[in-house]
Amino acid sequence: MTSKALNTKVALVAGATRGAGRQIAVQLGAAGATVYVTGRSSRTAGPSEVNRPETIEETAELVTAAGGTGIPVRVDHLDPDQVRDLVARIDAEQGRLDVLVNDIWGADALTAWHKPVWEHPLDDGLRILRLGVDTHLITSHFALRLLIRHPGGLVVEVGDGTTEYNAANYRLSAYYDLVKTAVNRLAFAQGRELAPHGCTAVAVTPGWMRSEAMLEHYGVTEENWRDATAKEPHFVVAESPAFVGRAVAALAADPDRARWNGRSTSSGELAQVYGFTDLDGSRPDAWRYVVEVQDADRPADATGYR
């Protein structure tokens, strides 16, 4: 993929403040795209309930520095009026939308991991469903009307775990399990609805991702992230957020992207197909590792998996 592969394309990355969403936006920009980046944390309005320092303005600046055009828009994707106004603005300014990435989440702090549904705080659980599912549906409801104007449009639903993995494994909380199953199913359903318009929907999951929050959790930086394996040996297979960003950019640049329609895939699988690498030149295949090493209770060893 050349640096100008997407130079005529317009993308919306919903939930681009940090983590996967930020680097998906940046890598689309590196391929030349104009990228609208949205989220609730901004320099002017302050942080969202997630209460982290990253902002949508920072993300937009990184997109532009990478070679694209980054446009930050503060949006609460639970508010239909705000999403409607966002799409109307994209239409007025660009007249098209080629890529929609639904990466909205922001509910980690609400999730009571390893708690059964009867012990999980109900209000928090229902808020998780709102943040993780309703936001995606509201955004698609308005944005897809613009995307289907031109054949070739792409929708990416970003989740955690492939459909195959999530179908066979409990994802640590009933609410989290529901959200991550629903996101993959939403890609399948949208794929059926978009196909008559010549458009494609795909569910993409990163592996064990070295997000800002994850690095902070382990007390490491991107430069010394391997030190975290002293606390969590299986972190040896971790990938940078840029890896899933490059996965989405590769999909967007593929003229035959319709072959993925309705499917669930991972950054690791897409790297094998498209040939891109993580920032360090490796190709982590985290979900194969999780099944064959981590879940199989084998000693942590990423040999053959990156």
Side-chain angles (χ1 to χ4, degrees):
M1 183 173 64
T2 69
S3 61
K4 298 300 182 182
L6 302 176
N7 67 346
T8 64
K9 304 301 183 183
V10 178
L12 164 58
V13 182
T17 311
R18 60 186 66 84
R22 168 170 283 190
Q23 274 300 317
I24 289 170
V26 170
Q27 298 305 321
L28 289 170
T34 295
V35 188
Y36 287 78
V37 300
T38 68
R40 294 174 294 163
S41 298
S42 75
R43 287 174 183 157
T44 55
S48 70
E49 65 196 74
V50 178
N51 197 30
R52 288 195 55 84
E54 301 87 9
T55 66
I56 54 172
E57 290 85 359
E58 290 173 358
T59 301
E61 289 164 1
L62 290 170
V63 170
T64 301
T69 301
I71 302 172
V73 187
R74 185 178 184 276
V75 176
D76 181 347
H77 285 266
L78 277 175
D79 186 331
D81 290 339
Q82 291 187 36
V83 178
R84 182 189 295 110
D85 290 346
L86 165 68
V87 175
R89 174 177 170 179
I90 297 172
D91 189 8
E93 294 177 353
Q94 310 296 335
R96 64 185 299 128
L97 179 64
D98 301 288
V99 180
L100 168 63
V101 179
N102 276 326
D103 183 50
I104 314 143
W105 172 233
D108 278 341
L110 297 172
T111 306
W113 308 105
H114 305 287
K115 291 284 188 181
V117 69
W118 59 91
E119 294 181 6
H120 196 295
L122 181 60
D123 287 346
D124 288 352
L126 296 178
R127 176 71 174 171
I128 289 168
L129 296 180
R130 288 277 284 150
L131 288 169
V133 179
D134 290 12
T135 53
H136 291 230
L137 287 165
I138 291 168
T139 305
S140 288
H141 174 77
F142 292 104
L144 295 190
R145 303 179 192 193
L146 181 55
L147 184 131
I148 62 173
R149 285 189 196 167
H150 299 91
L154 172 68
V155 179
V156 175
E157 291 287 341
V158 180
D160 178 17
T162 63
T163 295
E164 180 182 16
Y165 186 85
N166 290 350
N169 293 273
Y170 167 67
R171 300 308 313 277
L172 307 177
S173 156
Y175 294 103
Y176 190 82
D177 194 301
L178 277 172
V179 167
K180 299 312 175 184
T181 299
V183 166
N184 289 347
R185 186 65 184 184
L186 183 55
F188 172 81
Q190 290 179 127
R192 291 297 181 93
E193 295 171 353
L194 289 169
H197 301 275
C199 299
T200 299
V202 188
V204 177
T205 177
W208 200 337
M209 193 175 62
R210 300 192 300 270
S211 65
E212 298 90 346
M214 186 62 71
L215 293 173
E216 191 174 285
H217 172 75
Y218 286 121
V220 295
T221 66
E222 180 60 26
E223 288 68 34
N224 71 339
W225 68 268
R226 290 181 182 274
D227 291 350
T229 59
K231 297 180 181 178
E232 175 45 74
H234 292 300
F235 200 60
V236 69
V237 79
E239 63 196 55
S240 80
F243 195 50
V244 71
R246 290 176 173 179
V248 173
L251 277 172
D254 182 2
D256 191 28
R257 68 186 71 84
R259 60 185 159 145
W260 297 97
N261 193 38
R263 291 177 56 184
S264 164
T265 184
S266 67
S267 49
E269 180 182 18
L270 291 171
Q272 298 302 318
V273 173
Y274 290 110
F276 62 85
T277 67
D278 204 346
L279 297 176
D280 62 1
S282 69
R283 292 194 179 99
D285 195 353
W287 289 103
R288 186 167 62 89
Y289 176 94
V290 166
V291 171
E292 297 177 4
V293 180
Q294 183 174 322
D295 290 355
D297 292 325
R298 291 170 52 196
D301 182 0
T303 302
Y305 295 94
R306 62 178 317 132

